[in-house]
Amino acid sequence: GEDVKPFTPEKTKEIVMSLQQPAVFCNMVGDWPALHWNVKYLSAVLDGKTIQFRLGLKTVDLVPQFETRCNYVKATLEEFLAWSCGQPSCLSGPFSCYEYSKYWAYADYKYIARIFEDKPEIFQDIRWSDFGFPGRSGKESTLWIGSEGANTPCHLDSYGCNLVLQVQGRKRWHLFPPGDTSFLYPTRIPYEESSIFSKVNVANPDLKRFPEFRNTTAHVVTLNPGQVLLVPRHWWHYVESIDPITVSINSWIELDADHEARVEEAITRMLVCAIKSAENPGAGDVWLNPTEVEATSHEINLQYLNKAVSAYFKCQKASVSEQACSSSTGTEKRTSASRKRKKREVGCEPEGCRLLTHEFGFSSFKAEKLQKIPFGPHLIQVLPQPQETSSMGAIAVESDSRDLLHENEGGHFGKLHCTGKQLVMSNDCETPAHQIDSDGSPNASQTALSTNDLLDCLVNPHVINLVARLLLERTRV
């Protein structure tokens, strides 16, 4: 039957929680009502409701087009559809100020729980239970709607792993493993909790300024409608829409490692806010991403750090208790698991603590199991590109199942906490976005060190990880 999945929910979750390389699931969502969520359908459902779009230039330069360099409008999906289809400007509302040939538009990070808050029944159109996460639906998912050329700058997500369903159109994903972090020149400017950006525009890398980018290993794949991409923890990704209209739905899956990551993010927030807030505000440095409403005070940031550390130790304690229980007999194990589920149902688990990986995560997997991942027509590896091929010069090769286009033959508080976008409106039509360097400093001297140069060293992911471990060790003592 059409509703028969190639993998059971238990097996799918096992793959998601153990696989440490990107892969595409095929034939897993054929019966999901969300597959009908094209822009025309969503426009009818929203019935004139406006949402915020980010607009950027289609021209590709050496500097990443960060969100601080974009313009923003509020418009309906009907107006977006009219604009993207070339209909008269009177029908496209705010988009009439922007030539479709010059600009792309992106309604990104739209939390489904918010934009459809008056239609909660639509949450059930998304069934992450098929991937082994019962109870997870559209309420815990995010919607992305873009035009051709719409893109997300290269970044990694601090929290969780990512499942991405492609609904309409195609998107090309350029992924880089965690080990490539130093080659991607990480920066926290613009600052957004849960996102570490790359200074490199991977669509057009400045190899004179960023020569180590040559050492990266790009994994490139074009995601087609009906496919689900797994982005493992801390994999860098640059995403671009390659069709006139694209619609995607994603959900970030919590991991045990998130508890330490929240401590790292709290330390980063303290440092970035303290140093940038002390800088001359008249310098014109747009350092706060539009996703962050304001720079929080030192007192608030310190409270956040203490809460993150406290939550970390609560979950460590819960983890030790579970491991102790796991040494019991088979019957006791089943009883313990049952109790744990009941605790989650009644909310007795420590806040923010979801020990998913103790059921199916890294700690419960032996090496031989990792070697038995069932790759094939229903689970396709996103393989590294040949070294001699640039990450953007990929050629799509259709797979046998016609489900996947590979480029391998030459060719969010944080996101888990549903923070909204700050409304940053552009008053003038086609006003050039903020002209800033990729490090966030306008007109920075090539010889003098800037505040951002110092910050790039202080809040480098490797440095912050070391500081977090030292801080947790001090707290433990």
Side-chain angles (χ1 to χ4, degrees):
E2 292 182 2
D3 59 342
V4 176
K5 314 290 183 183
F7 307 114
T8 65
E10 294 76 17
K11 182 61 179 178
T12 309
K13 185 173 184 179
E14 179 181 303
I15 295 169
V16 168
M17 302 305 282
S18 64
L19 191 55
Q20 298 180 56
Q21 68 179 84
V24 175
F25 288 93
C26 302
N27 310 311
M28 285 291 294
V29 297
D31 58 344
W32 287 23
L35 282 185
H36 303 295
W37 283 25
N38 57 37
V39 170
K40 192 172 182 180
Y41 170 80
L42 292 172
S43 176
V45 172
L46 288 173
D47 191 26
K49 185 175 183 178
T50 60
I51 56 178
Q52 182 172 293
F53 287 83
R54 174 165 60 97
L55 290 113
L57 290 166
K58 287 185 176 179
T59 54
V60 181
D61 58 21
L62 294 174
V63 181
Q65 203 160 173
F66 291 127
E67 293 175 54
T68 49
R69 303 179 67 230
C70 293
N71 295 318
Y72 293 83
V73 300
K74 290 200 77 174
T76 65
L77 282 181
E78 187 178 12
E79 291 167 336
F80 168 74
L81 201 56
W83 176 72
S84 60
C85 294
Q87 294 182 20
S89 59
C90 60
L91 299 176
S92 56
F95 290 109
S96 61
C97 294
Y98 301 90
E99 274 189 53
Y100 180 77
S101 61
K102 294 181 180 179
Y103 285 86
W104 50 258
Y106 209 2
D108 50 359
Y109 293 102
K110 300 306 175 197
Y111 293 100
I112 291 171
R114 288 184 179 177
I115 62 175
F116 296 110
E117 59 186 351
D118 56 339
K119 296 179 175 66
E121 65 278 1
I122 204 171
F123 299 162
Q124 303 311 314
D125 286 5
I126 302 164
R127 303 170 179 173
W128 296 115
S129 56
D130 286 341
F131 284 75
F133 302 99
R136 184 177 290 261
S137 65
K139 189 176 182 181
E140 296 82 20
S141 304
T142 310
L143 183 66
W144 310 69
I145 303 170
S147 67
E148 184 177 0
N151 63 80
T152 303
C154 187
H155 69 285
L156 69 79
D157 301 319
S158 303
Y159 307 136
C161 63
N162 195 1
L163 288 173
V164 187
L165 166 65
Q166 193 62 27
V167 175
Q168 180 179 2
R170 296 168 300 155
K171 278 185 173 178
R172 184 172 293 126
W173 286 72
H174 303 257
L175 301 118
F176 304 87
D180 282 359
T181 292
S182 61
F183 306 144
L184 286 158
Y185 299 84
T187 182
R188 297 311 298 259
I189 303 296
Y191 174 74
E192 172 187 272
E193 182 176 347
S194 80
S195 294
I196 302 175
F197 293 104
S198 168
K199 286 186 178 184
V200 183
N201 182 357
V202 301
N204 186 25
D206 185 346
L207 296 178
K208 288 184 178 178
R209 188 174 181 189
F210 307 114
E212 292 296 310
F213 180 72
R214 291 187 180 92
N215 297 322
T216 59
T217 303
H219 296 61
V220 186
V221 66
T222 298
L223 199 64
N224 290 323
Q227 297 175 337
V228 175
L229 173 67
L230 166 64
V231 182
R233 181 176 186 262
H234 284 185
W235 273 72
W236 292 84
H237 46 285
Y238 167 83
V239 190
E240 57 178 338
S241 296
I242 59 175
D243 281 331
I245 295 177
T246 62
V247 176
S248 308
I249 297 168
N250 86 293
S251 190
W252 284 281
I253 307 300
E254 300 89 339
L255 300 171
D256 276 354
D258 293 346
H259 306 307
E260 184 172 348
R262 288 194 180 91
V263 176
E264 295 176 359
E265 286 296 290
I267 295 168
T268 300
R269 177 181 284 274
M270 283 195 72
L271 290 172
V272 173
C273 289
I275 293 175
K276 295 301 292 184
S277 297
E279 201 172 35
N280 178 11
D285 181 7
V286 184
W287 63 273
L288 200 64
N289 215 40
T291 51
E292 297 288 327
V293 177
E294 61 183 359
T296 42
S297 68
H298 179 76
E299 290 73 20
I300 290 176
N301 292 337
L302 188 59
Q303 289 176 21
Y304 177 31
L305 175 60
N306 277 282
K307 287 180 179 179
V309 170
S310 177
Y312 172 85
F313 283 114
K314 281 182 181 178
C315 291
Q316 285 287 96
K317 186 176 180 181
S319 173
V320 170
S321 298
E322 286 201 354
Q323 288 174 358
C325 291
S326 68
S327 62
S328 304
T329 64
T331 303
E332 289 170 333
K333 285 182 183 178
R334 287 191 293 272
T335 304
S336 175
S338 176
R339 286 197 193 112
K340 186 170 69 174
R341 282 193 293 271
K342 288 179 181 176
K343 281 185 178 181
R344 286 181 184 159
E345 288 167 8
V346 298
C348 295
E349 199 173 36
E351 183 178 358
C353 179
R354 298 190 181 184
L355 301 175
L356 296 177
T357 53
H358 287 295
E359 292 181 90
F360 292 99
F362 307 119
S363 61
S364 63
F365 271 79
K366 296 180 180 179
E368 59 266 24
K369 284 193 175 182
L370 291 174
Q371 294 172 2
K372 294 180 180 178
I373 297 295
F375 293 118
H378 306 299
L379 180 67
I380 303 176
Q381 298 181 70
V382 181
L383 298 171
Q385 281 191 249
Q387 288 292 332
E388 65 272 13
T389 306
S390 71
S391 63
M392 302 304 294
I395 300 174
V397 177
E398 194 167 3
S399 68
D400 292 339
S401 64
R402 301 189 64 194
D403 280 328
L404 187 65
L405 292 177
H406 262 300
E407 275 79 0
N408 301 323
E409 299 293 328
H412 252 273
F413 175 134
K415 294 181 178 66
L416 300 180
H417 300 270
C418 294
T419 41
K421 292 274 187 183
Q422 180 189 15
L423 185 59
V424 182
M425 302 298 291
S426 174
N427 296 320
D428 300 319
C429 295
E430 296 198 13
T431 302
H434 300 290
Q435 300 299 312
I436 61 175
D437 291 336
S438 60
D439 65 352
S441 298
N443 306 317
S445 167
Q446 294 298 313
T447 56
L449 289 172
S450 69
T451 303
N452 293 341
D453 292 325
L454 175 63
L455 271 176
D456 283 339
C457 297
L458 287 176
V459 297
N460 180 283
H462 299 303
V463 174
I464 291 296
N465 178 261
L466 176 60
V467 172
R469 289 176 181 274
L470 289 170
L471 187 64
L472 289 170
E473 188 62 35
R474 175 187 292 265
T475 309
R476 193 192 312 274
V477 173

